[in-house]
């Protein structure tokens, strides 16, 4: 784990993550947090695959977007928020 978050920062990230209905729908789990680090996990489910049996790129992008956002949020000032406006993912 990269640096240990203060209890307040960790609670702020966990509270925000818990408000994401889409993460609940997908069954995404927040497994680890550190300073500038967020580990998310999702169990394999056939309903989340594409025609070749791999996770759909939309699932992969969603997880990447959220993990990066919460990694950034973990080091942002207490009175700030985080919202993705642009990102790129190469598969």
């Amino acid at each position: 784990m990269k640096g240990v978050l203060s209890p307040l920062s960790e609670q702020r990230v966990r509270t925000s993550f818990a408000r994401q209905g889409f993460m609940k729908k997908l069954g995404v789990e927040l497994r680890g947090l550190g300073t500038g680090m967020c580990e998310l996990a999702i169990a394999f489910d056939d309903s989340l695959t594409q025609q070749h049996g791999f996770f759909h790129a939309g699932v992969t992008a969603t997880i990447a977007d959220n993990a990066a956002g919460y990694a950034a949020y973990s080091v942002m000032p207490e009175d700030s928020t985080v919202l993705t406006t642009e990102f790129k993912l190469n598969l």
Side-chain angles (χ1 to χ4, degrees), residues 1 3 12 16 27 30 36-38 41 48 70 76 84 87 89 91:
M1 205 71 44
R12 182 173 60 114
S16 177
L30 177 52
M37 190 283 262
C38 175
L48 302 175
Y70 282 116
M76 294 171 66
T84 301
F87 77 100
L89 178 67
L91 304 170

Side-chain angles (χ1 to χ4, degrees), residues 22 26 48-51 53-65 87 89-91:
F22 192 45
L26 293 176
L48 302 175
T49 63
Q50 41 82 299
Q51 70 274 17
F54 300 110
F55 266 123
H56 194 283
V59 175
T60 304
T62 296
I63 301 305
D65 175 32
F87 77 100
L89 178 67
N90 293 315
L91 304 170

